[in-house]
């Protein structure tokens, strides 16, 4: 008997997204989101209107004698009035007409006229020529299949789920731009669970699409027992009435998303304001003192007009640098907190340790003023708009545990929600939140957890020079001693017979090196045939294990396990005889220069010399630039910075902070930086040092449209330099692996050339 195949039907939001995304065709996701979400919102208010309209028309019970066209009847029931020419049934009947775009725009206008709270909110983008009207009609038909606004649908939060799912998918589709309007749900949920906004004024001065407010409302609904327990014999209130929300957004289209997102949940958004100057230049809530602030401000924003605000009254703890808004946001939050208020927000990890332009002094004053309550280090890959590691900060003006800060190291938790993005599970969120609440509210039950959480006193923080990264306090879990790279065996490939004698020679050297250093398991792996990405991960693992974890080879073991002596330099605890100085002490840094094809085409006609672009780096899958699509002439070479094969360069424009090694001679333009005259350090050591400084390089890049890294900032970059013999050892172990990468890539390139692919 044949087995019956069972299938699980996708939830409504996923079904709608799959079809809607197909109908998008070639339209940019940033534009299409307003098309799709506007229609979903229109369907919602039309459903809610139709349901009440039919009850009023029937005229039974409380609705006896009611006029279904009386707008006041809908105001009383908190339902948007929809005029006849905007009702979904009318629009659906016109879905196949070429005028459907114009009809929808007019419907949006009509709804705004009859509902003042929606004025300027609804998108009128449907009549534009580039929007295919056949696809638009198909989208209308698709949305027609979902019932979103009825009481039953609202009780199941169908629209909320659809709207939130679409926001997340559009953020994913838009990549970096998606982070401007959407904070991943698990991050928002963790912030809210830790802050517990049971009642009071909730403020988000960079509110995006309103996710912080939505999650606050969900939190209240999930904690009904709190209100029953604490209300006593007082007047019974809807828990949602215990909070009022205040917000500000500088992007008008994002503000519209927020207004719609809140409207579908019945959340009063009258205090969610828009102006294009933003919170720093034009504070829309100057007199607000909030009980809770929940926010995800732009990471390391250099375009915040700080130079215009040097004497602003908000800078109580120090003037933030005009090149980075991190500490401007922190002080803006504090300015708007009530005397008993608390704030939870996301910031780049750079804010934990930066000492540039007075940021270290501001951070010290925040700690000494007993405002910092908790720091949570998050996993990477949580955010759509950045790969920069992020941290949650929690501030309070009424701390229960005076003179202490709770540090939580959560960078190793989370799961891969898809191929590129991580998320925090419900258990992850509860583990972190419960740790914080026990520490805060029931100290007798709190215990430090080695490698995860630590309650540090102000004296301990002073000893560490007010650097706030949790890893400095919680301790490092058992280090990888015999085999510091446990995933390599299963991740790597197998031996191939098709590689050259040179590749086999390099593999023998690699194995001998690992065997000599005591890494016996690594000495048994077959390295030929492993892809370059994995080999690069191996070398970077060695770098971090030696030069960040300080588990380098030492007297027959690792430095830490052999109780190597540490000394304090520049506020850091470093191994004996190591140093920490600015990069310019160890090499010269130069900016590239060359003509450009657009402005100087004569320098590129029939050229024979590789002209290296940033795109050549982003197109590469490893550390080498092996090919380039542009060639320049000998005349261009005379006006350019010419770099020889084997040298290190660093991207300085658009995609900032990516180090690459040239596998060809070529000219670089001013989007690159180059290095020479190394003193003590080597090219390989500098390559991996810069690779591990990416978050700092990105944080201090200037420019709102296209980022650029100031050469002076790079020269002043503090780097940790070990002893000469250890740098030589690192070169000896890393170079044959990098050479093996190059051999594998050269074979791949030759194959592509034979196929005429490049």
């Amino acid at each position: 008997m044949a087995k019956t195949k069972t299938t699980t039907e996708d939830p409504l939001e996923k079904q709608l997204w799959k079809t809607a995304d197909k109908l998008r065709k070639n339209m940019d996701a940033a534009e299409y989101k307003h098309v799709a979400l506007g229609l979903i919102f229109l369907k919602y208010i039309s459903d809610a209107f139709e349901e009440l309209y039919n009850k009023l028309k029937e005229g039974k019970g409380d609705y006896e004698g009611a006029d279904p066209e009386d707008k006041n009847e809908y105001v009383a029931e908190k339902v948007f009035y929809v005029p006849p020419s905007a009702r979904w049934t009318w629009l659906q009947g016109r879905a196949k007409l070429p005028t459907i775009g114009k009809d929808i725009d007019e419907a949006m206008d009509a709804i705004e006229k009859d509902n003042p709270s929606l004025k300027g909110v609804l998108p009128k983008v449907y009549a534009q020529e580039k929007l295919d009207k056949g696809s638009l009609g198909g989208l209308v038909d698709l949305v027609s299949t979902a019932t979103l606004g009825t009481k039953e649908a609202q009780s199941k939060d169908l629209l909320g789920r659809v709207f939130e799912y679409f926001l997340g998918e559009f953020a994913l589709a838009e990549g970096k731009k998606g982070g401007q309007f959407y904070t991943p749900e698990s991050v928002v949920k963790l912030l809210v669970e830790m802050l517990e906004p049971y009642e009071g004024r909730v403020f988000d001065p960079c509110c995006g699409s309103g996710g912080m407010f939505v999650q606050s409302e969900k939190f209240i609904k999930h904690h009904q027992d709190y209100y029953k327990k604490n209300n006593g014999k007082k007047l019974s209130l809807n828990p949602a009435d215990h909070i009022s929300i205040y917000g500000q957004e500088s992007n008008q289209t994002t503000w519209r998303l927020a207004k719609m997102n809140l409207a579908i949940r019945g959340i009063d958004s009258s205090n969610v304001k828009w102006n294009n100057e933003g919170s720093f230049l034009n504070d829309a809530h100057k007199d607000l003192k909030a009980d809770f602030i929940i926010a995800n401000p732009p990471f390391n924003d250099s375009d915040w007009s700080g130079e215009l605000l040097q004497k602003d009254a908000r800078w109580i703890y120090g003037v933030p640098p005009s090149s980075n808004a991190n500490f401007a946001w922190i002080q803006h939050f504090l300015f708007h907190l009530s005397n008993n208020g608390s704030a939870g927000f996301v910031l780049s990890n750079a804010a934990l340790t930066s000492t540039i332009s007075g940021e270290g002094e501001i951070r010290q004053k925040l700690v000494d003023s007993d405002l910092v309550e908790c720091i949570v280090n998050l996993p990477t890959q949580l955010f759509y708009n950045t790969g920069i590691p992020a941290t949650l900060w929690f501030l309070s003006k009424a701390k229960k545990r005076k003179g202490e800060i709770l540090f939580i190291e959560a960078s190793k938790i989370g799961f891969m929600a898809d191929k590129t993005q991580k998320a925090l599970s419900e258990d992850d969120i509860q583990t972190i939140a419960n740790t914080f609440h026990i520490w805060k509210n029931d100290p007798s039950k709190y215990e430090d957890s080695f490698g995860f959480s630590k309650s540090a006193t102000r004296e301990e923080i002073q000893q560490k020079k007010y650097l706030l990264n949790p890893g400095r306090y919680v301790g490092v879990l058992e280090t990888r001693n015999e085999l510091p790279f446990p995933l390599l065996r299963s991740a790597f490939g197998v031996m191939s017979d098709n590689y050259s004698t040179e590749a086999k020679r390099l593999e023998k050297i690699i194995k001998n090196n690992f065997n000599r250093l005591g890494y016996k398991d690594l000495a048994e792996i077959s390295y030929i045939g492993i892809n370059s990405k994995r080999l690069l991960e191996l070398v970077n693992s060695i770098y971090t294990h030696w030069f960040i974890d300080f588990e380098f080879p030492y007297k027959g073991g690792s430095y830490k396990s052999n109780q190597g002596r540490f000394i304090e330099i520049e506020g850091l605890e470093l191994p004996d005889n190591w140093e920490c100085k600015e990069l310019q002490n160890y090499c010269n840094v130069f900016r590239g220069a060359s003509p450009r094809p657009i402005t100087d085409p004569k320098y590129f006609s029939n050229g024979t010399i590789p002209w290296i672009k940033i795109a050549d780096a982003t197109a590469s899958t490893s550390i080498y630039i092996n090919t380039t699509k542009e060639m320049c002439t000998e005349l261009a070479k005379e006006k350019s910075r010419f770099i020889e094969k084997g040298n290190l360069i660093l991207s300085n424009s658009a995609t900032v902070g990516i180090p690459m090694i040239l596998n060809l001679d070529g000219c670089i333009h001013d989007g690159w930086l180059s290095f020479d005259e190394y003193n003590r350090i080597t090219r390989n050591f500098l390559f991996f040092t810069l690779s591990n400084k990416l978050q700092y390089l990105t944080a201090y890049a200037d420019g709102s449209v296209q980022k650029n890294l100031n050469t002076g900032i790079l020269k002043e970059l503090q780097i940790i330099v070990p002893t000469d013999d250890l740098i030589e050892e690192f070169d000896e172990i890393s170079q044959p692996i990098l050479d093996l990468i190059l051999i594998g890539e050269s074979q791949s390139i030759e194959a592509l050339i034979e196929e005429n692919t490049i």
Side-chain angles (χ1 to χ4, degrees), residues 62 98 110 119 165 191 250 284 379 427 539 687 714:
D62 293 340
K119 185 178 180 181
Y165 187 82
L191 276 168
S250 61
D427 285 345
V539 182
F687 176 91
L714 184 62

Side-chain angles (χ1 to χ4, degrees), residues 558-582:
S558 63
Y559 189 78
K560 277 188 177 177
S561 60
N562 279 273
Q563 287 80 48
R565 193 171 79 91
F566 283 85
I567 56 176
E568 186 176 303
I569 302 174
E570 296 292 327
L572 303 172
E573 289 185 346
L574 299 180
D576 199 9
N577 296 317
W578 287 32
E579 61 186 31
C580 180
K581 294 182 180 178
E582 294 177 346

Side-chain angles (χ1 to χ4, degrees), residues 508-739:
K508 185 176 180 180
I509 294 173
I510 293 167
K511 288 186 173 188
N512 287 340
N513 282 337
F514 283 134
N515 192 56
R516 174 174 56 81
L517 292 170
Y519 298 143
K520 305 298 182 184
D521 289 345
L522 289 177
E524 296 173 3
I525 292 174
S526 295
Y527 290 92
I528 297 179
I530 297 170
N531 68 55
S532 60
K533 181 180 178 182
R534 293 297 188 186
L535 288 172
L536 191 60
E537 287 174 356
L538 170 59
V539 182
N540 194 61
S541 295
I542 296 166
Y543 177 92
T544 56
H545 196 63
W546 288 11
F547 305 125
I548 296 177
D549 297 339
F550 305 141
E551 290 287 356
F552 51 88
Y554 180 74
K555 295 182 180 177
S558 63
Y559 189 78
K560 277 188 177 177
S561 60
N562 279 273
Q563 287 80 48
R565 193 171 79 91
F566 283 85
I567 56 176
E568 186 176 303
I569 302 174
E570 296 292 327
L572 303 172
E573 289 185 346
L574 299 180
D576 199 9
N577 296 317
W578 287 32
E579 61 186 31
C580 180
K581 294 182 180 178
E582 294 177 346
L583 178 60
Q584 60 189 342
N585 289 288
Y586 303 107
C587 65
N588 291 331
V589 181
F590 298 99
R591 184 181 296 278
S594 80
R596 299 273 185 163
I598 295 177
T599 55
D600 297 295
K602 64 182 179 182
Y603 293 110
F604 295 86
S605 178
N606 300 315
T608 58
I609 300 170
W611 187 69
I612 299 149
K613 302 187 297 183
I614 299 296
D616 297 321
T618 55
S620 175
T621 57
S622 80
I623 66 172
Y624 289 103
I625 293 181
N626 294 299
T627 61
T628 181
K629 292 184 178 181
E630 296 261 15
M631 294 287 180
C632 62
T633 64
E634 284 287 341
L635 187 60
K637 179 182 174 182
E638 295 175 10
K639 295 180 174 290
S640 304
R641 182 167 294 281
F642 182 77
I643 306 295
E644 294 182 349
K645 177 180 177 179
N647 274 294
L648 171 65
I649 57 176
L650 183 77
S651 62
N652 179 46
S653 177
T655 305
V656 171
I658 306 299
M660 302 294 291
I661 297 173
L662 291 181
N663 192 33
L664 41 73
D665 297 338
C667 297
I668 61 171
H669 58 65
D670 59 5
W672 291 103
L673 298 173
S674 63
F675 310 86
D676 69 8
E677 296 188 17
Y678 293 101
N679 169 35
R680 289 202 56 214
I681 65 172
T682 61
R683 184 204 68 182
N684 287 2
F685 180 82
L686 180 57
F687 176 91
F688 288 98
T689 297
L690 294 173
S691 296
N692 285 278
K693 291 283 188 181
L694 178 60
Q695 61 171 298
Y696 296 98
L697 300 178
T698 306
Y700 291 97
D702 293 321
S704 57
V705 178
Q706 180 165 295
K707 296 290 186 181
N708 289 279
L709 185 64
N710 184 287
T711 309
I713 287 179
L714 184 62
K715 289 179 178 179
E716 294 172 1
L717 178 71
Q718 296 276 339
I719 66 169
I720 294 171
V721 176
T723 54
D724 293 347
D725 61 329
L726 200 54
I727 292 179
E728 291 173 9
E729 188 72 79
F730 179 71
D731 263 21
E732 190 170 339
I733 201 169
S734 63
Q735 191 56 52
I737 299 174
L738 299 185
D739 289 343

Side-chain angles (χ1 to χ4, degrees), residues 192-193 196-198 215-223:
V192 172
E193 287 290 332
E196 295 185 310
Y198 285 114
Q215 193 60 49
S216 296
E217 190 243 7
K218 286 183 181 179
F219 174 85
I220 287 169
K221 284 185 176 179
H222 294 157
H223 291 80

